[in-house]
Amino acid sequence: MKRRDFFKTSLVASAAVLGTNLAAGQTTQPRDDRQVSAMAFPEKRPLITYSDRPPLLESPRSTFTKGITPNDEFFVRWHLPDIPTHIDPDAYTIKIDGLVKNELTLSLKELKTQFEQVEVTAVLQCGGNSRSAFHPVAGGIQWGSGAMGCAKWKGVRLSDVLNRAGLSKDAKFIGFNGKDNAAYYETPNFVRELEVEELNDHVILAYEMNGEDLPYLNGYPLRLVIPGYYSDSWVKMLSNITVTNKYKSLFFMDVAYRIPDNETESESPDKHFKPTKPITFMNVKSIIGYPENNMKIYHNSHIVIRGVAFDDGHGISKVLVSTDEGKTWNEAILKQGNGRYAFTEFRYAYKPTEYGKVKLMAKAVNRLGDEQPLAKDVGWNHGGYKFNGIDVVTVEVV
Ligand SMILES: Nc1nc2c(c(=O)[nH]1)N[C@H]1C(S)=C(S)[C@@H](COP(=O)(O)O)O[C@H]1N2
Ligand SMILES: [Mo]
């Protein structure tokens, strides 16, 4: 066989092998092999870095031992490379226009002084968090499990601001526009729409995160916070809110951030479902923050497995931990107190009595009784959204 032929056959053969594996669409544990980078970003400690322009930063696993994610450890995701580098808080205003009785232009000071200030602790999670679990690769950033965080947000109720403007009778959609711009004209601005019916008192325009001004990269000076929803709709660095009665075909609503409108069957790489629907509410999920993969732990020592769990606001009822590949599950101790939209911290005392590799698994259950599936049972979807497989960390007992 000539070398070239050999090359050809081996390619065909491996394609066939891959083909059978991949056609089904599989899900595994998300990648967990990336190190934080020394690249510097304003107000951020070293994080896992996918891109510097636009900034795409992921929190490492160890972040998830804490119920509140510190601002400097909080992940960052922007779609567009052109983000204003200077915002003057005294000159900043947000405009509310469209189908309203009174158009409003509000300064930060007016927002902070003329409306009731409210606080909510809520998880912000990208719909594509853990996307690297999907095989074949689903389009988008190949996040591990750290495209999420939980913070205490302070701001004003969106409904109070909209009431001041007065929604017209035919108001149906509320569009939110960020100040970031596309570098190429083909890419549309980052705009999201919410239906008027989706509004509730928990949706806020936030200017503070964990008691400080929003970090620049997390949307300074003002962002939308929609507790319970995936964060693709939490528009950052807001410039205006426009009320309409017609659904505009916006790229980020129509193409990205959608999943099959069919929860019972899963997609496969050669069968993409239509119609689709926007991802909205988060499903139940947990992650182990400690120990980390490949750590060596001592035989007969006392280990405290720690992590966080959350859902869309129904609330976590228990977190189960297994140290024997899922044969038996025991309840972890929970620490709650930041409200139903927040991370629930869990801890579980573990004394390894066997040597060698051990898999530590965590599974959260919410108040509805929804629980996390095994990673392999999470349905594949073409956008790689909503992965919530049971977390597995493999340690070595020495
Ligand atoms: N203006 C603007 N807001 C945005 C985005 C964006 O690209 N531009 N990305 C959204 C997406 S997809 C996510 S996951 C979150 C990320 O929020 P963070 O950077 O504060 O973690 O912001 C959302 N809001
Ligand atoms: Mo996202």
Side-chain angles (χ1 to χ4, degrees):
M1 203 193 284
K2 271 187 269 163
R3 198 187 140 87
R4 256 184 85 181
D5 294 337
F6 171 76
F7 192 60
K8 230 188 208 160
T9 6
S10 67
L11 264 187
V12 172
S14 59
V17 171
L18 287 173
T20 45
N21 277 340
L22 301 180
Q26 295 191 344
T27 34
T28 61
Q29 286 302 310
R31 288 183 61 165
D32 192 27
D33 57 346
R34 294 166 175 121
Q35 306 295 313
V36 300
S37 149
M39 205 179 262
F41 291 90
E43 303 163 281
K44 295 288 168 185
R45 62 151 73 194
L47 294 170
I48 299 164
T49 303
Y50 293 85
S51 154
D52 68 332
R53 195 158 187 264
L56 296 172
L57 311 174
E58 177 178 335
S59 308
R61 179 178 285 279
S62 58
T63 293
F64 303 105
T65 51
K66 305 177 281 290
I68 296 288
T69 313
N71 290 2
D72 68 341
E73 259 178 79
F74 214 98
F75 89 102
V76 171
R77 201 271 186 258
W78 290 88
H79 290 78
L80 310 172
D82 191 5
I83 308 165
T85 49
H86 182 76
I87 303 257
D88 175 357
D90 296 323
Y92 171 86
T93 57
I94 180 166
K95 202 166 169 202
I96 295 97
D97 58 12
L99 296 176
V100 292
K101 292 177 191 119
N102 325 293
E103 275 196 9
L104 301 177
T105 302
L106 296 166
S107 68
L108 266 187
K109 194 163 167 215
E110 285 167 328
L111 274 174
K112 291 181 186 177
T113 54
Q114 298 181 4
F115 298 87
E116 188 186 342
Q117 299 189 52
V118 291
E119 281 183 346
V120 64
T121 303
V123 175
L124 184 167
Q125 181 188 205
C126 179
N129 188 25
S130 312
R131 182 179 285 121
S132 57
F134 293 83
H135 309 279
V137 161
I141 304 154
Q142 296 302 301
W143 299 112
S145 303
M148 63 174 191
C150 177
K152 189 189 210 181
W153 309 96
K154 183 175 181 178
V156 299
R157 289 185 198 94
L158 173 63
S159 55
D160 289 350
V161 172
L162 291 176
N163 281 343
R164 164 90 63 95
L167 290 183
S168 306
K169 268 216 199 73
D170 49 346
K172 270 231 175 75
F173 297 99
I174 310 163
F176 301 87
N177 200 349
K179 282 186 175 292
D180 40 338
N181 289 305
Y184 311 102
Y185 67 92
E186 292 91 350
T187 324
N189 262 12
F190 194 84
V191 181
R192 290 288 315 215
E193 279 178 326
L194 276 187
E195 289 194 45
V196 170
E197 275 119 66
E198 289 176 280
L199 272 184
N200 64 41
D201 282 352
H202 299 250
V203 180
I204 65 174
L205 301 173
Y207 39 74
E208 271 185 28
M209 179 173 170
N210 294 329
E212 292 167 9
D213 285 346
L214 285 176
Y216 164 65
L217 291 174
N218 297 106
Y220 184 80
L222 191 69
R223 82 174 305 165
L224 191 61
V225 165
I226 313 179
Y229 266 39
Y230 286 101
S231 54
D232 54 284
S233 47
W234 297 34
V235 179
K236 300 193 279 191
M237 214 174 262
L238 283 166
S239 64
N240 63 286
I241 299 177
T242 302
V243 183
T244 60
N245 61 359
K246 268 201 211 77
Y247 177 77
K248 280 191 265 158
S249 294
L250 301 164
F251 174 77
F252 290 109
M253 285 291 266
D254 269 9
V255 182
Y257 299 105
R258 294 182 74 92
I259 47 163
D261 188 9
N262 175 339
E263 299 278 357
T264 55
E265 243 183 293
S266 68
E267 276 187 309
S268 69
D270 26 68
K271 193 167 122 209
H272 286 195
F273 278 114
K274 272 195 175 155
T276 59
K277 62 181 178 188
I279 51 170
T280 51
F281 293 107
M282 296 191 283
N283 52 23
V284 62
K285 188 165 179 172
S286 67
I287 178 168
I288 297 169
Y290 181 88
E292 296 172 38
N293 272 308
N294 304 319
M295 268 188 174
K296 287 190 169 59
I297 59 175
Y298 289 111
H299 186 252
N300 268 335
S301 62
H302 295 275
I303 301 291
V304 182
I305 300 171
R306 285 176 295 152
V308 296
F310 62 98
D311 72 344
D312 61 355
H314 285 95
I316 295 300
S317 63
K318 56 186 172 190
V319 176
L320 300 166
V321 172
S322 174
T323 58
D324 59 4
E325 314 242 334
K327 285 185 216 79
T328 55
W329 293 90
N330 291 302
E331 271 191 53
I333 296 169
L334 304 186
K335 186 173 153 208
Q336 297 179 306
N338 284 328
R340 61 197 176 96
Y341 292 117
F343 276 161
T344 288
E345 286 179 41
F346 68 86
R347 65 191 153 90
Y348 180 82
Y350 166 57
K351 191 174 167 189
T353 52
E354 279 164 71
Y355 289 97
K357 293 220 158 119
V358 178
K359 280 185 182 162
L360 311 176
M361 304 167 80
K363 167 165 76 174
V365 186
N366 72 2
R367 296 224 166 86
L368 295 177
D370 293 344
E371 58 174 67
Q372 294 179 258
L374 286 169
K376 70 175 175 59
D377 297 327
V378 173
W380 189 91
N381 64 74
H382 72 273
Y385 295 118
K386 301 183 75 166
F387 176 86
N388 72 333
I390 290 173
D391 197 25
V392 182
V393 161
T394 305
V395 293
E396 193 180 348
V397 182
V398 295

